[in-house]
Every structure is written in structure tokens, then in C-alpha cells.
Amino acid sequence: MPPLDTTDESAVRAYVRAMPPLSRGTAGGNTACVEIQAGREIFIMDAGSGIRELGLELMKGPCGRGECTIHLFFSHPHWDHIQGFPFFAPAFVPGNTIKFYSIHDVKTALIDQQRPLTFPVSLDYMRARREFISVEVRQPFTVGSLTINTIPNAHPGVAYSYRFEDKNSVFVYASDAEYKNLDEQSIRPYLNFFRGADLLLFDAQYTLKEAWQKVDWGHSSAMIGVDLARAAAAKRLLLFHHDPTYSDTDLLQVQKTAEAYQAQDTTLPPCEIIVAYEGLTIDLSPPGSVDVTLMTEREAAVLTPSSTFTQHSIEQLEAQLAQLMADDASSTPIIDLSQIETLSVAGLKALLTLHRKKGGGQIVLANPSASTAEIIKLSGYQNIFAIYPSIDAALTAVKTREALKLPGQLVADRYRIEQKMGESPLGIALKATDIRTNRTVALKILSPFFSDETTAKFIQLAEPLPQLNHPHITPVLDYANTGQYIFLVEAFIAGEPLQHRLDDAENGLSDAERFAIVRQTLDALAYAHSFGIVHGDLKPQNIFLTADGVRIGGFGLGHLDEGNNLLNAPLLLLNAPYLAPEQIRGQPIDAR
């Protein structure tokens, strides 16, 4: 035991955190699967059993909503590199797209793996869109921001190494490779392929002795990896594809042996030697780097800081924003936080500095992790930022705000605009999120062209509405006059307007359904009348059909024209066929 007070839990936890990963935990036993994040693009190398857990993690984001594209590459189709794909959850979600890249016929391999004899669910049962792309060996190609190249490995049936690089960094995936001949001519192609890698993932399944005994088994050793990595000036060597019979102690010994071997030769710069384990994350982006992507037709500029979010990141963001405003002042910047695992206090302060330098305008953030969103909430600064779960959601909201000429993403520092639902002479209806309760709401903003008298009447009519609590009345949650706009907030009802069913000749209403709608509507109106509240604009567009029955919305707005003879009105705000005769004549309306 170390000199440690084992009754002090915080001291024990601190001691364990300081231990090497394979001493405090385990490398794990899943077969090959590596995720590569490049900006907003998701790349995956191989679909071993590890892809099941990766899929569950991806389901927490856009993949769970059917909004993601995944680039899945295969080194070769041996079973330990494809066996996890039948359990990859994003493949079952409609709307997702999975692009398969391989030199082998991986489509046949995946189909065969999921034939009825060996698996209960066929490949065709998976609902994500599938696209199979044939890769040409040694022929570079680009996907998103990455340039990708391949080289064949000595392995039964042939496997292939992949080199991924962008303007900042290089990652080489060289699993399932045997290096039988180590003379200069034989290894030169590999040294050129590995050249300058920031991270070289290397097949180190065996000790050197075992590698030379198991000829044609298709795997290598850490000591060979040290020589090749140093000769190619690779910065980090990641030992990968561990022998399943090795314990974590064995793997630590492999690492120590490789480090001791490296120390014997000081003529070349050393490389960092790392043992791969499940959950290991390595950031290859330069500190503070920022990628900028201009969306289609310059609707918005998306800026993606790296996971090492620093003051330098903010300086780069400021420079990029200044350039964007100079190029196109109408372009709205969105900061994509998908690469930020967590936000430090310093990073939060830097964002607030950016907010102030931007003149106090709201900063639009997208794709925050749960941790980042919680930190912003705990800090009390959530009203400073308009936060959206995805780039698509942020773009939709930005376009809605700009089309409606609203001054920001938040209404009354509380309601975050999501999208437009409808518009009428009375005003606009928006789908929004109440950031205080995280509840989806319907936000109805009164037209800015009404007189002060009319807007005052709107507030007066809205005052009694929140007291209505009936299963067939849409709850009114809030109303206010901010000085910039007047709005009413209702609960968001996920149902279809009665008008849609009336217009649908193929899916009409039965007599029983009609009777239920009429009865529930009358129940709701009688309840409202008991409070002295008359709807004033009852029509099929304000009656919503839900799984729990009718929900009536739009209470009160029909009174805005009360006192005006609508036969002489230059612009009719209400829907004439559904108005009471006395309402058209400008007379008071009541429960009748």
C-alpha cells in the first residue's frame, strides 16, 4: 500500500487519478474501432465490437435525431473488424446517412454477416441511408476537410493502412500489418506513408519474439513500431490491436520495453509511446485552432473552435468574425461547440469578452455538450447566448429571426426562437424553447402595426387567460409588452389543426369523431365562459386534434376588433365565416 490515509475518500480518488490508465483501469477487450472527429464530420475506422458503444454515444447527438452523416472506413473485412456493425444504433435511424469506404467488397461481407443463418436482422432492415464507395489503393482522395490515402499491408487477405491529414495534422491508421523484411528498400514505402504523422496507430499485437515466430499471421510488435515511427519522424506512437491473451500488466511491460529500446539510440528524436485503451482521446489540433465554414448561399458562417478552447481561440474567432463582417455584414456567425468537451471558466470568460466586443449582440452557439450547456446554465449567463442542439436548428432559427426582422434569438431574455409556424394579419406564431424550464412553447407575437390602444387591449385580454386550466384548452403560460414587441406564450401542442382533417378527403372524420370534437369543444367553452372569458375567434384553425383529444388555442384575440363595424373595415383581421353576426356589426360578444 502507498503512504495514504485510505479512510480519506478524496485522497484515495486523487491517488487513483494520478495512476497510469492501465494501473487504475483496463485497456478493455473490444475489437478494432476508432472514431476520428474533424470539424463537424464523423469518421470511423473499422466496425469491430467497439462500434456498439460508440453508436450509443453518437445517439445522444444529431445521430439520434436522424440528422448525421457518418464516413465509415474499413482496413479489411475480417470478422474482428466488422462484427460490431449489426449493433451500431445510428444505422437503424431513418434520416442518417452512412458512407462505407473500402478497397475490399465490404458490402458483400456485411450482407453475409447478417444472413438469417447467423443473425436475426438483415442489413436491409437498417433504416439509415447506405452508400458504398470503392477506394483505389495509393490514390489520394478528399472527404470534407481531410485528404485520405492508402497503402497495402502484409496481412492474410491483404489489409490497408489509411493516412488522414488536413492543413494542421496527420493521423495514420496502420493496424493489421506485418513487416517481414526490414531492409531499407522494403520499409521505404511505409516510412514515406508514415512521414511526419502527429499520431501513428501501429499494430503491436505481439512481442518481437512472437512476431518473428508467427510468420504470415499479419501482425507486428512495438519495437518494430519504434524504429519505423522514429525513422518517419512521427510524434506519437499508439500501440494498438492488443493480443486478447495479454493482461494489462503485459501491455504495460510492452510499453516499458519499447521505451527502454528507444532510449538505447539517441541519434534520432524520440517519439511518445502510448498504449491504446478504450475511451482514450488524443487531440491533434493546434492549440486554439479555428475552422471556418461558410454555409450555402452565405446564410450563416459556422466557426468551429478546437477542443482546446483558449483565449487564443477567442482571438482567432474575433479575427474571423471581423473578416466575415467586412465581406458580408448580413452574415450571422454561429459558433459550433461540437469539439468542445467541456468549458472552463476561462473559456466562458473569453466568450463573454467576445459578446461585449460584438456590441452586446447575442452569440449563437450550436452543438454544446451536456457539460458545456450545464456550465453556461450554472454561471447564470444562459441569456447572453442563444444555444441550439445542432447547426441545422441554429440555421433555421437564424433565418426565422432575420426574415421576421427580430432583434435577437431570445425574446424577453427567455424564449429562444426555433422556427416559424405561421403568420396572419394579427401577427406571427413561432415555435420556441423556454430556456428557464427547457419546455417547448408556441410564441405568438402581435403585429407591430397595431395602435397603442389595441396593444393595451391585448394585454388586458391576456391577463385572465393563464387561470384557465382545462384538458381541452391550450394553457396560456405568459404574456408581456417588452417595448419592442407584445407577445403571448402558449404550451406547444403536437397535434394537427382540425382544418387539416376537414380538408383531407381521403382521411375524413367519422360521425363518432365529429361528436367527440363537438362535445369536447363545448365542454372547454362552457368552462371558459364560467370565468367570463369568451373566445371570439373559434375556427377549425384554432382547434387542434391530439392523442388526448381536442385542444383549443387563440383565446382572446377575437376581441381586438370589438367595437368596429367589420363591414367597413379596410383589412379584416379575423376569418369572416366563423364570426358571430353581432361581432361583424361591431357589437359586444358574449357566450352565445
Side-chain angles (χ1 to χ4, degrees):
M1 289 291 293
L4 182 69
D5 179 4
T6 56
T7 64
D8 183 347
E9 182 178 343
S10 62
V12 172
R13 290 186 179 279
Y15 177 79
V16 172
R17 280 197 300 270
M19 297 171 69
L22 298 194
S23 296
R24 67 172 183 260
T26 177
N30 276 317
T31 63
C33 180
V34 174
E35 180 193 14
I36 305 164
Q37 296 179 358
R40 299 189 311 279
E41 300 278 2
I42 300 172
F43 298 81
I44 301 175
M45 268 306 317
D46 284 328
S49 60
I51 203 171
R52 185 190 70 86
E53 291 179 55
L54 172 58
L56 296 177
E57 188 66 26
L58 292 175
M59 289 291 287
K60 298 175 184 178
C63 290
R65 302 188 295 270
E67 299 171 357
C68 72
T69 296
I70 295 170
H71 304 280
L72 178 52
F73 291 76
F74 291 87
S75 59
H76 63 307
H78 280 173
W79 193 28
D80 56 324
H81 291 254
I82 66 171
Q83 67 188 144
F85 187 72
F87 307 94
F88 186 50
F92 292 87
V93 180
N96 288 338
T97 297
I98 302 178
K99 297 185 177 183
F100 302 83
Y101 301 80
S102 181
I103 295 171
H104 297 87
D105 181 8
V106 73
K107 181 177 182 180
T108 297
L110 295 176
I111 291 173
D112 286 346
Q113 178 178 231
Q114 293 180 231
R115 289 194 185 282
L117 180 64
T118 56
F119 200 76
V121 176
S122 70
L123 187 67
D124 287 338
Y125 182 82
M126 295 172 149
R127 301 267 62 88
R129 179 176 174 271
R130 297 184 299 277
E131 182 179 344
F132 291 88
I133 300 167
S134 180
V135 175
E136 297 293 330
V137 66
R138 291 192 175 95
Q139 296 297 314
F141 60 100
T142 60
V143 179
S145 62
L146 298 188
T147 299
I148 303 163
N149 202 359
T150 56
I151 191 173
N153 301 334
H155 188 80
V158 188
Y160 294 88
S161 292
Y162 284 77
R163 179 184 174 102
F164 299 85
E165 59 184 306
D166 62 12
K167 60 186 177 182
N168 296 317
S169 50
V170 176
F171 168 57
V172 175
Y173 181 94
S175 184
D176 293 71
E178 183 176 358
Y179 304 90
K180 299 179 184 179
N181 301 311
L182 297 175
D183 58 90
E184 183 179 352
Q185 182 177 354
S186 298
I187 66 170
R188 187 180 298 117
Y190 297 102
L191 296 182
N192 292 336
F193 195 79
F194 299 162
R195 186 75 60 195
D198 293 277
L199 181 66
L200 169 59
L201 179 148
F202 191 83
D203 187 310
Q205 180 162 337
Y206 302 135
T207 64
L208 184 63
K209 182 178 179 180
E210 286 176 318
W212 285 347
Q213 290 174 339
K214 298 178 178 180
V215 179
D216 292 329
W217 286 41
H219 300 283
S220 190
S221 75
M223 293 176 69
I224 292 175
V226 167
D227 279 346
L228 296 182
R230 296 181 74 190
K235 297 180 180 66
R236 302 179 186 90
L237 176 66
L238 183 62
L239 307 180
F240 187 74
H241 208 284
H242 310 310
D243 191 295
T245 66
Y246 284 7
S247 68
D248 294 302
T249 303
D250 292 332
L251 295 178
L252 285 172
Q253 186 57 51
V254 167
Q255 182 183 28
K256 290 177 182 177
T257 300
E259 291 172 340
Y261 172 64
Q262 177 175 241
Q264 304 308 307
D265 181 2
T266 59
T267 61
L268 291 172
C271 65
E272 182 182 0
I273 302 172
I274 308 167
V275 176
Y277 59 87
E278 292 178 12
L280 171 64
T281 299
I282 299 177
D283 186 2
L284 301 185
S285 58
S289 64
V290 178
D291 293 329
V292 179
T293 305
L294 292 181
M295 304 304 288
T296 307
E297 298 177 359
R298 299 181 68 83
E299 293 166 345
V302 179
L303 301 96
T304 308
S306 70
S307 56
T308 51
F309 196 36
T310 64
Q311 180 60 39
H312 181 58
S313 302
I314 292 298
E315 292 170 0
Q316 286 194 271
L317 282 171
E318 289 176 6
Q320 295 286 2
L321 284 171
Q323 184 61 49
L324 288 169
M325 295 302 290
D327 292 343
D328 182 2
S330 65
S331 181
T332 299
I334 298 170
I335 300 178
D336 177 12
L337 298 181
S338 60
Q339 302 303 300
I340 306 296
E341 295 177 6
T342 188
L343 187 64
S344 66
V345 173
L348 177 61
K349 185 176 182 181
L351 278 176
L352 292 172
T353 300
L354 182 63
H355 163 72
R356 286 193 294 272
K357 290 188 176 182
K358 197 172 175 286
Q362 267 178 351
I363 303 293
V364 180
L365 306 178
N367 282 324
S369 66
S371 171
T372 296
E374 182 64 16
I375 288 169
I376 293 174
K377 180 180 178 181
L378 291 172
S379 71
Y381 283 105
Q382 67 266 35
N383 290 351
I384 297 295
F385 308 106
I387 305 174
Y388 295 91
S390 68
I391 293 294
D392 287 342
L395 277 173
T396 298
V398 166
K399 288 191 290 184
T400 298
R401 178 187 66 79
E402 291 176 349
L404 301 173
K405 296 181 173 56
L406 295 173
Q409 302 303 129
L410 287 179
V411 172
D413 290 333
R414 179 172 179 177
Y415 302 105
R416 187 183 68 216
I417 299 167
E418 304 294 347
Q419 66 185 68
K420 180 180 175 181
M421 294 194 299
E423 187 170 6
S424 75
L426 284 171
I428 55 173
L430 304 172
K431 183 179 179 181
T433 298
D434 182 345
I435 63 173
R436 296 183 191 174
T437 63
N438 200 32
R439 180 179 184 177
T440 302
V441 298
L443 180 66
K444 298 183 177 182
I445 300 179
L446 196 65
S447 170
F449 303 110
F450 284 114
S451 66
D452 292 341
E453 181 181 359
T454 301
T455 56
K457 189 172 185 178
F458 174 86
I459 294 296
Q460 180 184 357
L461 292 168
E463 284 179 359
L465 298 182
Q467 66 183 311
L468 297 181
N469 182 16
H470 189 275
H472 299 307
I473 294 178
T474 301
V476 173
L477 307 174
D478 192 13
Y479 61 90
N481 183 349
T482 68
Q484 292 177 310
Y485 31 65
I486 300 94
F487 66 86
L488 184 91
V489 180
E490 292 182 344
F492 179 78
I493 302 301
E496 66 172 331
L498 172 59
Q499 187 66 55
H500 288 183
R501 290 293 300 275
L502 297 178
D503 293 339
D504 188 350
E506 296 182 1
N507 189 25
L509 294 166
S510 66
D511 289 344
E513 288 175 313
R514 293 171 184 270
F515 181 81
I517 291 169
V518 171
R519 180 179 55 78
Q520 292 169 9
T521 300
L522 291 175
D523 284 347
L525 294 175
Y527 172 83
H529 295 163
S530 70
F531 286 86
I533 297 172
V534 177
H535 192 290
D537 190 23
L538 189 66
K539 57 188 177 184
Q541 292 90 332
N542 282 330
I543 299 175
F544 292 86
L545 307 181
T546 75
D548 299 317
V550 159
R551 284 286 189 135
I552 302 175
F555 270 87
L557 297 181
H559 293 263
L560 290 179
D561 262 333
E562 201 167 36
N564 297 321
N565 188 325
L566 302 185
L567 295 173
N568 301 323
L571 176 64
L572 195 62
L573 299 177
L574 304 175
N575 199 343
Y578 296 99
L579 301 182
E582 61 270 27
Q583 191 172 9
I584 292 175
R585 297 191 186 101
Q587 299 167 358
I589 56 177
D590 57 28
R592 292 173 295 169

